[in-house]
Amino acid sequence: MSRPKPKPKPEKVERDEPSTDPYEAEVRQLEETWKRPPGFIGWLSEVNHVAIGRRYLVTAFVFFALGGLLALLMRIQLSRPENDFLDPDLYNVIFTMHGSTMMFLFAVPIMEGMSIALVPLMIGTRNAAFPRLNAYSYWVYLIGGLLVYVCFLFNMAPDAGWFSYVPLSGPEFSPGKRVDVWAQLITFTEISALAAAVGTITTVFKQRAPGMSLNRMPLFVWSMLVKAFMVVFAMPAIVVASSLLAMDRLIATHFFNPSEGGDSLLWQHLFWFFGHPEVYIIFLPATGMVSTLVTAFSRRRTFGYLALVLALVATGFIGFGLWVHHMFAAGLPQLGQSFFTAASIMIAVPSGVQIFCWLATIWSARKLRLATPMLFVLGFIFIFVLGGLTGVMLASVPIDLQVHDTFFVVAHFHYVLIGGAVFPLLGALYYWIPKLTGRMMSERVGKLSFWVLFAGFNLTFFPMHQLGLRGMPRRVYTYKAEMGWGDLNLLATLGGVLLTVGVLLFVGNFLWSRRRGLPAGDNPWDADGLEWATTSPPPPYNFAWLPTVQGRHPLWEQTPDQPVVVGLRSDRREVLVTRTLDAEPDHREVQPRPTLVPLWLALATAVGFVGVIFTPWAIPAGLILAGAVLVGWFWPQVDQDETLLEEQP
Amino acid sequence: MRSRIDVSDLPSTVYGHPAPLWWGVVGLIVIESMVFALLVGAYYYLRGGESVWPPPGDDPPLTLPAINLIVLLASAIPMHLVVRETDRMDRKPDLRRMRFWLLICTILGFLFLVGRAFTLSQMGFRWDSHVYGSIVWVLFGMHSIHALTSVGENVLFLALLYKGPVEEKHLLDVRLNALYWYFVVASWAVLFAVIYFDSGVLRD
Amino acid sequence: MKGRFPISRLWWRPAMNRRAIERRSPGELESRLGRRHSLARAFMPGQSAPALAVAFGWQSVLDSAGPQAARIEDLWWVYFWVCAAVFVLVFLALVMAVFRGRRGKGDPTDPGAPHPPASERRLTRTVAGATAATAVILIGLLVATVAASRATSSLPGDPLTIELTGQQWWWQVRYEDPTPSRMVTTANEIHIPVGRPVRVKTRSTDVIHSFWVPNLHGKRDLIPGRPSEILIQADRPGVFRGQCAEFCGYQHANMALLVVAEPPETFAAWYEAQLQPARPPSDALQQRGKVVFEALPCPLCHTIAGTQASGKTAPDLTHLASRRMLAAGTLPNTRGHLGGWILDPQTIKPGNKMPAVSLGSDDLRALLAYLESLR
Ligand code: HEA
Ligand code: HEA
Ligand code: CUA
Ligand SMILES: [Cu+2]
């Protein structure tokens, strides 16, 4: 394939030229080509990345609220000794649902949502790669989430903890459907995450704006790329684990059944081989957000770009070598444990590098602006460093043997999950919501919500460190007054109330901004990323003419004659594909139109995986249905104007 | 004042790794390879916990699966010829040849599936007999599902090639389909080795 | 390292000071506890169970009573101070960075302009230095960890061997002895001699549990199909509470045990007493209680050595009255609680495997009299 070199044709074209201009006509045609069909059916057939990303964000936030409400119920139960607000069965269901919701239905998907909504804008392309796969991943996620919460209403919600250790979750000790529901929830979320990850990798590698070579890629995009790779290599472990568990439960295999040669530790290895990378799958995107916000509000180039990229990649790699630190108490050979201690400790180095680079950027700011998003970043640094340090403590085998499965661990992981992921996320939402909705959120309420959340968070979770050291195990529905844990627990519960107020302030601010917020304009923060080069909210085709890039901070480094890309056809959904490393234009790719096929495929998937809870025959049924839909999906589209092949004489 | 880069001359069909779809398919293959690798890991983990492996008298029979493996490996050859046809330098790809070789490959695939069905029916144990049975059946089962869907895909492409109209850009799909078929073939070669090195004839 | 960090000790210690309490008489102990926790009083209607008072409040990582826990406590304080210092440094750096950043430097209207190379170099050096310091600190912590791991994984001396079996939701304890007739079986309460290592062989017959007595050592999971063992040792007498630390279903919260560390002589005496079969009833009421017991389904699950009751799925009751707590640390072992437990175990510990029995009040009184005689 010889391809013609793109020829830059200097020509004067201004965006705001009179309407007779061909530009206007082109935009009108783009509008026509990229808009989604009208009506409800049109809504269901959406394949545009901003729309799907927005749905992801909203859905995940609703699950966050649900998970948070469950947490409040737990906090009420634990607020005083021997409380009988929840019975043990309900308590077990609730902490399982809380953990599973937060991990599988909130933290991972919301990062996917950010990625789907923002990455294509940041790299200057019209839509994410594989738009139908994106839509599919959203539907599957939604169905999985609805499945567990509907089951919750029918008292079929899981109750074996978010890592469902066998044999407790096996057929003998968890009869009934509860754990099957959990296993299928996992199946849905893993399919959705894998689909989204493949899409992210391809989008990032193949669709960057001309000039955005890998070493100029925004750190946010880097973090999403590393995250996507981690998903690809980590999620299969939970695919395998949950399938084996489902088979043990449904067709009486013996993988985890010690009396037939199975081994319950196999589950733990498989689960944590996924489970540990999972926490970095949640955390790394957050670091990408932090890098972006720190840069934008310091008004200087990111300090240590290369170091930050290397830290991301290193974390991604090392993250696969730590899983045994969740199993120290299982009594594995000591030498092996020391290895995992060393690896767990080593991962603090890249995290440290990231913290130091951010501090350096802030230190040398041209003018640091303490807007709401930046406050969340500062809060993040405070909380995450604390949580990371308790992580380092946990990595020490002897200390872990004492505090493993106590509230000390609960404190650690809320510090890193909420401090390390939710705070950056909230900051990022304050920062990017104007881009997605076109309206600013209130700074005053924003700052208030930050301080309430910061205070509430520490009040809730700091006492848990002490509770753990004083011997309070996790996952207990009650404790005796004589244990002396009552006061600290009460404190934590009060903190939980404060947290709720903070979240409500955020939600209120958002709803208020939808109606009353000031119009955002294209670039309200005067920031550097390409996403700010288009309108807020962006048009369905993102950019009329694709931007080009000549540095790491495109909008800050733009020259007056920065070229734009023209020549993509506007009568069909064309995106520009560029080369993997240097992002030179390579070819034009035609993307599919809006279609219901992803929804159908998601429903077929659901038939298989929900049905299998009741009968193994659902799997073949689902396969056949999915096969039928896939024929429609992959049946090659025929465009009249392409070269046809003939039979040779 | 803005200069422009005009991309209207760029092609809209490519083969291989420049194409986004290539990344999609390779991504899928990596994910599935990871699944197989972890299953193999689980196999050895469980094996490590047992003193006798496979349980006495439960060696899976070897002859049929060995022949079947050869059939499957052989099917890669016509598939390769299909791919070569899409990529000729000297002339345009010949649709008739592509049809023919893809037909051969699909027939071999069917034969393999039939052989697989017999292999499974010959197995002297079930998935719920013991943990060896569980893991071996799952290895077989996972691979069978992949083989089944991939043969289905071959049929689909066969239908496309016969029915038409076939456009140049469809050749990318044909090639990626072949890539996936290679994966199905290669993964079985590995799983076969894992399972049968431990059993019967090959063990002694 | 004990006592070297008085401030932090005050802060992290359990509310009551152990030594101060130990010096007090049992009666005083109880009244103190009672004043402090009115609920504790409610637990001890009428009778006093002095040992109980000692049992509570001690389940702490930072109140070591054995060589291993002490070693870990030391390690903890090393980690604590190192991490505290790191945190303070990072926090200070953050505050200073924000102040400097607020003041700003350079032209904020041209954010894309490169920074002065000299200041960038300084920053690079600082960041590199901090990274190197991080690596050094971490290596130090790693060395401390490996040393502590080594030190806590073996104990000199000839160990006593106990087989501990976790079950939903109680602990079976068997003292091993080469002579089968000298093996002792009991439940939920482990007596050990002070100063002698104890090898605890961990087993589970159902799901995973975890054996954890924080004042003595870290935890070890009890995994079905994977027998394991852990050494523990107490250096001073006392009653130390432990609690199942791996989620194991409904009553994970109420699966506690007590470790009673006693001087070797006391331990030996206890052991001899445990070797005896159950005391025969010594009066008519107790006799009637025994009949009641045997008529109920109790013997299907419980053993009382020397009687026909030989069930194996529930705690051995041969010396029930010698134990401090009922139902795996759920209730103090008093007559009132025992009666309440027998009549309605499902309210006290919902989901546990003991069925309720219905008894007339006379039968109940007789049964309690009998059970309380099983010293
Ligand atoms: C966002 C999620 C997230 C993140 C980022 C981390 C980060 C880390 N975690 Fe955490 N972890 C969880 C989420 C996370 N964790 C969860 C959810 C669980 C529990 C699961 C469950 O049981 O339910 C868990 C449990 C867990 C355990 C098991 C505890 C147990 O069950 O007994 C361990 C043990 O090693 C551990 C270690 C670590 C370490 C070493 C890091 C490191 O990556 C931290 C590195 C960061 C820093 C150290 C701070 C910044 C560095 C500096 C400022 C440099 C200077 C520092 C030094 C000199 C020390 N974690
Ligand atoms: C990202 C993950 C995440 C997040 C954000 C949280 C958030 C919170 N978590 Fe949780 N937690 C986990 C992940 C997370 N958790 C995990 C993995 C476990 C382990 C589970 C297991 O052991 O299996 C766990 C366990 C866990 C426990 C231990 C239970 C036990 O072991 O017995 C506790 C106890 O206090 C707790 C509390 C909280 C609290 C108070 C919050 C608060 O921060 C919540 C704040 C949010 C709200 C209060 C919601 C407010 C919203 C509304 C009021 C409605 C809004 C309205 C509209 C949208 C219209 N969590
Ligand atoms: Cu036994 Cu928890
Ligand atoms: Cu981890």
Side-chain angles (χ1 to χ4, degrees):
Chain A
M1 288 274 136
S2 70
R3 59 180 69 85
K5 263 233 154 306
K7 10 187 172 7
K9 293 189 218 151
E11 217 173 294
K12 49 172 175 315
V13 185
E14 224 111 66
R15 272 180 168 220
D16 39 338
E17 261 172 278
S19 59
T20 45
D21 190 88
Y23 179 83
E24 281 285 308
E26 194 177 341
V27 165
R28 257 197 311 279
Q29 200 176 24
L30 277 171
E31 208 73 73
E32 194 54 37
T33 309
W34 286 88
K35 76 166 193 255
R36 74 155 192 248
F40 183 60
I41 300 291
W43 191 83
L44 293 178
S45 59
E46 180 68 86
V47 292
N48 179 282
H49 77 98
V50 175
I52 294 174
R54 259 197 313 243
R55 285 177 200 177
Y56 251 112
L57 295 178
V58 171
T59 314
F61 207 86
V62 169
F63 282 121
F64 171 65
L66 289 173
L69 290 174
L70 294 177
L72 284 181
L73 298 181
M74 289 194 293
R75 284 309 334 155
I76 294 174
Q77 166 71 9
L78 294 180
S79 60
R80 58 198 185 90
E82 322 224 18
N83 204 352
D84 55 4
F85 176 69
L86 300 174
D87 66 33
D89 183 45
L90 196 53
Y91 187 84
N92 293 349
V93 168
I94 285 180
F95 80 69
T96 304
M97 285 292 285
H98 166 72
S100 306
T101 302
M102 287 300 193
M103 298 304 268
F104 298 118
L105 296 175
F106 161 64
V108 174
I110 205 157
M111 296 302 173
E112 257 142 39
M114 292 300 268
S115 166
I116 290 173
L118 293 171
V119 164
L121 286 167
M122 291 187 172
I123 63 175
T125 182
R126 294 221 155 125
N127 197 359
F130 311 136
R132 291 176 301 182
L133 197 62
N134 261 346
Y136 172 70
S137 95
Y138 173 73
W139 294 122
V140 168
Y141 156 56
L142 181 65
I143 293 174
L146 290 177
L147 165 73
V148 268
Y149 274 87
V150 169
C151 289
F152 197 9
L153 295 181
F154 290 95
N155 193 20
M156 269 169 53
D159 60 352
W162 87 277
F163 39 78
S164 284
Y165 274 4
V166 290
L168 183 62
S169 62
E172 195 183 341
F173 299 99
S174 289
K177 303 288 181 205
R178 287 175 161 189
V179 176
D180 300 306
V181 170
W182 181 84
Q184 292 328 100
L185 160 71
I186 302 306
T187 308
F188 281 102
T189 46
E190 78 214 4
I191 293 178
S192 148
L194 283 167
V198 171
T200 303
I201 292 176
T202 310
T203 311
V204 171
F205 274 156
K206 298 313 299 176
Q207 295 189 187
R208 299 194 308 279
M212 190 184 279
S213 50
L214 278 185
N215 62 347
R216 289 178 182 166
M217 216 159 72
L219 284 159
F220 180 91
V221 177
W222 266 110
S223 72
M224 289 300 182
L225 180 68
V226 175
K227 176 208 101 159
F229 270 103
M230 292 190 78
V231 168
V232 164
F233 288 101
M235 289 273 176
I238 190 72
V239 175
V240 169
S242 69
S243 321
L244 299 189
L245 178 62
M247 283 188 269
D248 264 16
R249 295 179 54 86
L250 300 168
I251 58 169
T253 52
H254 301 297
F255 294 104
F256 307 124
N257 176 3
S259 59
E260 289 286 347
D263 191 332
S264 47
L265 273 190
L266 175 60
W267 168 266
Q268 301 190 12
H269 281 295
L270 286 172
F271 186 91
W272 291 117
F273 184 81
F274 146 81
H276 185 84
E278 159 97 342
V279 306
Y280 293 101
I281 287 169
I282 294 168
F283 172 62
L284 290 187
T287 68
M289 297 167 191
V290 172
S291 294
T292 311
L293 300 194
V294 163
T295 305
F297 290 101
S298 296
R299 306 196 59 72
R300 61 152 293 171
R301 297 159 168 235
T302 325
F303 176 86
Y305 174 90
L306 187 63
L308 285 168
V309 171
L310 289 178
L312 283 171
V313 176
T315 310
F317 271 103
I318 305 174
F320 281 90
L322 311 187
W323 80 92
V324 170
H325 71 205
H326 297 271
M327 303 163 57
F328 285 151
L332 300 171
Q334 206 178 11
L335 186 69
Q337 294 194 349
S338 302
F339 168 81
F340 285 98
T341 295
S344 307
I345 275 182
M346 210 159 76
I347 207 160
V349 175
S351 291
V353 168
Q354 286 175 302
I355 299 277
F356 302 145
C357 286
W358 293 323
L359 288 180
T361 308
I362 297 175
W363 177 281
S364 59
R366 284 228 168 65
K367 185 80 199 148
L368 182 66
R369 230 181 110 190
L370 289 183
T372 309
M374 195 59 202
L375 285 185
F376 276 95
V377 168
L378 300 181
F380 151 80
I381 295 182
F382 181 97
I383 298 174
F384 172 73
V385 170
L386 257 173
L389 291 170
T390 55
V392 171
M393 294 172 168
L394 288 170
S396 166
V397 178
I399 294 179
D400 184 65
L401 289 182
Q402 281 285 25
V403 292
H404 170 67
D405 268 333
T406 67
F407 265 78
F408 190 89
V409 174
V410 176
H412 159 67
F413 67 72
H414 284 91
Y415 263 78
V416 278
L417 283 168
I418 300 185
V422 177
F423 269 65
L425 180 82
L426 291 175
L429 287 174
Y430 272 109
Y431 180 74
W432 274 301
I433 275 179
K435 173 53 61 184
L436 298 180
T437 65
R439 303 273 187 168
M440 300 302 283
M441 287 168 73
S442 155
E443 271 292 301
R444 239 182 342 157
V445 182
K447 286 185 170 145
L448 182 64
S449 74
F450 166 76
W451 286 111
V452 173
L453 283 168
F454 185 76
F457 172 82
N458 286 295
L459 192 59
T460 311
F461 295 104
F462 194 78
M464 292 187 188
H465 293 111
Q466 280 197 62
L467 281 173
L469 292 168
R470 292 192 186 176
M472 181 168 173
R474 63 195 281 203
R475 298 173 161 185
V476 292
Y477 74 97
T478 188
Y479 53 92
K480 303 262 176 257
E482 292 85 344
M483 302 307 298
W485 299 328
D487 301 348
L488 290 173
N489 267 306
L490 185 61
L491 218 57
T493 303
L494 293 178
V497 174
L498 220 51
L499 271 175
T500 314
V501 174
V503 175
L504 287 175
L505 280 174
F506 174 84
V507 174
N509 196 352
F510 172 74
L511 295 177
W512 172 87
S513 83
R514 298 285 288 150
R515 296 174 170 276
R516 302 276 172 74
L518 294 173
D522 288 2
N523 190 358
W525 311 108
D526 191 15
D528 58 334
L530 280 184
E531 73 273 27
W532 305 106
T534 184
T535 54
S536 311
Y541 46 89
N542 287 355
F543 304 92
W545 289 334
L546 300 190
T548 61
V549 168
Q550 57 174 16
R552 287 175 187 157
H553 305 277
L555 298 199
W556 285 351
E557 294 167 348
Q558 224 166 23
T559 52
D561 65 340
Q562 184 81 24
V564 291
V565 177
V566 300
L568 283 183
R569 276 169 56 173
S570 47
D571 59 342
R572 55 181 194 181
R573 296 183 161 219
E574 270 194 3
V575 296
L576 179 68
V577 176
T578 52
R579 290 211 295 257
T580 311
L581 295 179
D582 56 9
E584 285 298 310
D586 186 86
H587 67 276
R588 299 171 292 132
E589 167 89 6
V590 189
Q591 285 204 335
R593 288 178 287 275
T595 159
L596 286 176
V597 172
L599 179 58
W600 292 127
L601 188 61
L603 290 173
T605 316
V607 168
F609 289 129
V610 178
V612 76
I613 298 179
F614 304 97
T615 158
W617 292 107
I619 288 287
L623 265 179
I624 291 169
L625 285 177
V629 181
L630 278 173
V631 171
W633 183 309
F634 283 115
W635 190 258
Q637 292 182 353
V638 179
D639 301 292
Q640 263 59 40
D641 56 347
E642 297 278 334
T643 351
L644 281 180
L645 291 182
E646 276 112 43
E647 302 171 25
Q648 305 288 311
Chain B
M1 288 282 267
R2 295 212 138 183
S3 56
R4 296 165 153 198
I5 298 174
D6 190 337
V7 297
S8 54
D9 295 342
L10 290 182
S12 61
T13 33
V14 289
Y15 297 155
H17 67 85
L21 197 56
W22 182 90
W23 289 83
V25 173
V26 169
L28 185 66
I29 290 178
V30 171
I31 291 168
E32 319 244 288
S33 307
M34 203 57 205
V35 168
F36 281 129
L38 286 160
L39 282 174
V40 169
Y43 176 92
Y44 283 108
Y45 187 87
L46 294 168
R47 181 176 181 264
E50 295 288 274
S51 45
V52 209
W53 186 268
D58 273 348
D59 294 294
L62 178 62
T63 328
L64 179 56
I67 300 171
N68 217 18
L69 174 67
I70 294 171
V71 171
L72 188 64
L73 289 174
S75 74
I77 299 168
M79 195 51 123
H80 176 69
L81 294 172
V82 176
V83 172
R84 220 176 52 177
E85 194 60 38
T86 61
D87 198 20
R88 294 201 77 104
M89 290 295 158
D90 47 342
R91 56 177 166 78
K92 284 190 91 177
D94 181 350
L95 209 48
R96 258 191 316 215
R97 286 191 202 197
M98 276 164 53
R99 281 179 196 153
F100 176 73
W101 290 121
L102 190 56
L103 182 66
I104 300 291
C105 176
T106 311
I107 291 174
L108 287 173
F110 265 111
L111 277 180
F112 173 78
L113 287 179
V114 173
R116 172 58 60 79
F118 278 104
T119 312
L120 292 180
S121 69
Q122 279 179 5
M123 211 91 93
F125 49 86
R126 282 162 47 107
W127 53 88
D128 52 3
S129 305
H130 34 59
V131 74
Y132 176 77
S134 302
I135 186 72
V136 167
W137 271 88
V138 165
L139 289 176
F140 268 103
M142 282 299 281
H143 185 263
S144 302
I145 290 178
H146 283 80
L148 197 66
T149 47
S150 196
V151 169
E153 235 181 293
N154 288 349
V155 172
L156 188 67
F157 277 96
L158 212 52
L160 172 74
L161 292 187
Y162 274 103
K163 181 171 157 291
V166 184
E167 298 175 353
E168 205 173 315
K169 69 172 189 209
H170 296 155
L171 295 182
L172 172 67
D173 302 333
V174 170
R175 291 166 64 101
L176 292 177
N177 176 51
L179 192 60
Y180 197 74
W181 183 252
Y182 295 154
F183 163 68
V184 169
V185 173
S187 60
W188 183 242
V190 175
L191 296 183
F192 181 89
V194 167
I195 295 172
Y196 287 95
F197 271 137
D198 265 345
S199 90
V201 197
L202 292 179
R203 186 182 42 202
D204 310 315
Chain C
M1 205 168 272
K2 268 202 171 35
R4 209 175 298 166
F5 306 110
I7 302 171
S8 56
R9 290 201 162 238
L10 276 181
W11 168 235
W12 290 94
R13 253 185 192 212
M16 291 173 286
N17 184 304
R18 169 187 41 86
R19 274 176 243 278
I21 289 186
E22 256 172 14
R23 268 182 256 115
R24 293 202 167 83
S25 68
E28 195 183 345
L29 255 183
E30 210 240 330
S31 68
R32 272 179 63 89
L33 197 74
R35 240 183 291 123
R36 223 170 242 273
H37 304 281
S38 50
L39 263 168
R41 274 234 155 269
F43 259 95
M44 295 174 264
Q47 309 181 22
S48 68
L52 167 70
V54 191
F56 282 134
W58 304 128
Q59 190 171 306
S60 172
V61 170
L62 302 179
D63 184 25
S64 57
Q68 295 147 310
R71 189 75 168 77
I72 299 178
E73 202 181 334
D74 291 346
L75 183 68
W76 156 263
W77 287 116
V78 171
Y79 265 76
F80 175 83
W81 286 113
V82 170
C83 289
V86 170
F87 180 73
V88 168
L89 285 177
V90 173
F91 183 68
L92 285 180
L94 177 66
V95 171
M96 280 164 67
V98 169
F99 272 102
R100 295 214 25 153
R102 291 292 288 163
R103 238 182 299 127
K105 211 167 156 196
D107 174 12
T109 58
D110 186 11
H115 256 57
S119 92
E120 291 289 278
R121 261 200 308 278
R122 253 197 324 275
L123 281 177
T124 309
R125 269 203 301 273
T126 315
V127 167
T131 309
T134 303
V136 170
I137 294 173
L138 290 171
I139 290 172
L141 292 178
L142 179 62
V143 171
T145 286
V146 172
S149 279
R150 288 258 171 77
T152 51
S153 60
S154 62
L155 288 174
D158 165 42
L160 175 77
T161 303
I162 296 175
E163 187 186 79
L164 179 71
T165 309
Q167 299 172 47
Q168 284 177 328
W169 292 273
W170 63 282
W171 311 85
Q172 190 189 58
V173 183
R174 276 164 59 96
Y175 288 77
E176 296 199 342
D177 195 284
T179 327
S181 65
R182 288 195 56 84
M183 304 220 296
V184 161
T185 303
T186 177
N188 302 329
E189 192 171 301
I190 304 178
H191 287 242
I192 61 173
V194 168
R196 182 171 170 201
V198 179
R199 175 187 296 129
V200 182
K201 296 181 162 180
T202 52
R203 308 272 183 277
S204 166
T205 53
D206 42 40
V207 302
I208 305 179
H209 306 274
S210 195
F211 169 62
W212 180 42
V213 186
N215 307 58
L216 299 181
H217 194 7
K219 55 185 70 63
R220 173 60 55 88
D221 290 351
L222 280 57
I223 304 176
R226 283 196 163 248
S228 176
E229 57 181 52
I230 182 171
L231 284 169
I232 58 171
Q233 179 177 325
D235 281 345
R236 60 172 158 91
V239 180
F240 308 108
R241 190 174 187 271
Q243 191 168 352
C244 174
E246 181 65 63
F247 177 61
C248 53
Y250 286 144
Q251 284 302 332
H252 166 60
N254 286 315
M255 184 170 166
L257 52 67
L258 297 180
V259 173
V260 182
E262 301 164 318
E265 318 79 59
T266 322
F267 172 75
W270 173 85
Y271 199 87
E272 288 308 318
Q274 296 289 310
L275 277 173
Q276 305 305 315
R279 289 191 188 185
S282 59
D283 61 23
L285 192 61
Q286 292 177 9
Q287 182 57 42
R288 175 165 169 203
K290 180 163 187 262
V291 174
V292 171
F293 182 86
E294 285 171 346
L296 288 169
C298 314
L300 294 177
C301 304
H302 293 284
T303 295
I304 298 182
T307 75
Q308 286 154 8
S310 58
K312 296 281 181 237
T313 51
D316 186 306
L317 302 181
T318 311
H319 300 284
L320 172 68
S322 74
R323 300 206 285 260
R324 287 163 174 73
M325 302 290 286
L326 294 173
T330 310
L331 300 169
N333 191 359
T334 64
R335 170 173 295 214
H337 285 299
L338 186 55
W341 172 252
I342 291 172
L343 289 179
D344 191 6
Q346 292 303 327
T347 303
I348 296 169
K349 194 167 166 179
N352 90 82
K353 306 213 163 144
M354 172 141 159
V357 294
S358 56
L359 274 177
S361 59
D362 287 350
D363 283 351
L364 179 63
R365 205 144 24 89
L367 181 59
L368 291 176
Y370 174 57
L371 291 176
E372 289 214 309
S373 75
L374 298 175
R375 298 229 138 245

